[in-house]
Amino acid sequence: MSSSSAAAGASVPGATPADALRRNRIISSKLYFDVPGSKAPVVYSTAYDIAFLGIEKMHPFDSSKWGRICRFLTKEGHLEKNRVVEPLEASREDLLVVHTEAYLNSLKSSFRVAAIVEVPPLTLIPNWLVQQRLLYPFRKQVGGSILSAKLALERGWAINVGGGFHHCSAEEGGGFCAYADITLCIQFAFVRLDISRVMIIDLDAHQGNGHEKDFAHDGRVYILDMYNAGIYPFDHAAKRYIDQKVELVVSWTLQAVDHIFLHLIQI
């Protein structure tokens, strides 16, 4: 262990046993690794893309957009394929930094996963296959989100092409978000990168209720959330924890045009 790692692993005055366990899990994680200077601070894996017997098309979320983004950037000459950083998969110990044992165990039920990703037919699929074809890609993206924070501090900026599962909190998934990668990324940064303050700028169309619940009482995290007030998740309890709330009222006409535009892009 390096001197910096030893310092990070030192006990913190006033820390509870749960805090110490979380800290030790972060210190022992392999998700942070040294990235050669020849690589760009762009994190992506072909494993991010989800293709699952066509079932993934039953949800409006585009589960293969990550690969298309990288192919577009490569084709246009903005990114060299061999310069992309491949992340590691988040292990169970990594996920336990934020998630409870009970929540992770609940993902062993295909019924539970089907409810989280809002694709009912998944209930009928053996869980080992759900783990392999759906949850494994999610865990790779979690690893990417966590690594991107380290890269951002080292290079001045970084992008994880996947991740951003802002509807998932420590104890509850939803909205096609099974793991709380945003919360995990920040908890790792607090310990391993000696970060003291973080600002989340959430510009997704939907309210980011997952990270809002996770950092409800953490003064180190400031949340700015701009979202369409008239759509999912309508989490009024989580709204109380937004530091800067920007609720947009979008007409149905504008939403329809937006969906058509996105469909044309995908074609």
Side-chain angles (χ1 to χ4, degrees):
M1 180 183 291
S2 67
S3 58
S4 59
S5 296
S11 60
V12 178
T16 66
D19 293 332
L21 179 58
R22 181 185 304 112
R23 191 176 184 84
N24 287 336
R25 282 179 169 136
I26 292 173
I27 294 302
S28 61
S29 173
K30 295 180 173 60
L31 293 179
Y32 273 7
F33 56 85
D34 291 331
V35 176
S38 59
K39 295 285 188 178
V42 177
V43 184
Y44 168 73
S45 168
T46 55
Y48 282 13
D49 295 336
I50 299 170
F52 196 8
L53 306 175
I55 292 177
E56 72 279 359
K57 298 184 184 299
M58 299 182 69
H59 193 281
F61 188 91
D62 180 5
S63 61
S64 60
K65 64 181 179 182
W66 306 292
R68 277 206 300 278
I69 290 170
C70 281
R71 286 192 295 273
F72 173 80
L73 292 174
T74 301
K75 181 180 178 181
E76 295 297 313
H78 302 302
L79 181 66
E80 295 177 29
K81 189 175 181 180
N82 63 356
R83 296 194 67 208
V84 174
V85 180
E86 170 92 18
L88 298 175
E89 172 194 5
S91 68
R92 185 178 179 86
E93 284 298 302
D94 294 324
L95 298 171
L96 283 170
V97 167
V98 165
H99 291 296
T100 62
E101 290 272 8
Y103 176 73
L104 294 182
N105 287 338
S106 75
L107 299 181
K108 296 177 182 178
S109 162
S110 295
F111 175 81
R112 180 67 184 129
V113 177
I116 290 172
V117 300
E118 301 167 346
V119 180
L122 279 180
T123 300
L124 306 175
I125 305 298
N127 189 258
W128 67 267
L129 192 55
V130 172
Q131 294 284 336
Q132 181 186 89
R133 302 299 293 274
L134 180 64
L135 295 181
Y136 169 70
F138 283 160
R139 291 192 293 269
K140 284 284 281 188
Q141 294 186 50
V142 170
S145 293
I146 291 171
L147 177 61
S148 65
K150 176 178 182 290
L151 272 173
L153 189 64
E154 294 173 348
R155 309 285 185 89
W157 67 276
I159 296 173
N160 179 28
V161 177
F165 303 129
H166 67 165
H167 295 307
C168 187
S169 64
E171 299 182 357
E172 183 180 15
F176 214 81
C177 302
Y179 300 113
D181 69 314
I182 297 173
T183 306
L184 281 158
C185 173
I186 292 172
Q187 293 294 357
F188 269 68
F190 281 150
V191 174
R192 296 282 289 267
L193 304 180
D194 197 27
I195 299 296
S196 60
R197 292 276 291 166
V198 170
M199 182 177 185
I200 297 174
I201 302 176
D202 193 335
L203 303 178
D204 187 88
H206 306 88
Q207 176 199 350
N209 58 323
H211 59 72
E212 288 159 8
K213 287 185 283 191
D214 284 342
F215 294 113
H217 306 293
D218 194 329
R220 299 172 298 176
V221 180
Y222 185 95
I223 299 174
L224 184 156
D225 196 353
M226 179 185 292
Y227 56 91
N228 183 346
I231 59 176
Y232 176 91
F234 302 108
D235 194 333
H236 299 291
K239 287 181 183 180
R240 294 179 297 169
Y241 309 121
I242 302 174
D243 296 288
Q244 182 64 53
K245 178 172 59 178
V246 182
E247 292 191 332
L248 305 177
V249 179
V250 183
S251 70
W252 285 108
T253 302
L254 182 56
Q255 287 190 49
V257 171
D258 183 54
H259 283 303
I260 292 171
F261 179 67
L262 287 174
H263 179 65
L264 290 173
I265 288 177
Q266 292 171 15
I267 293 174

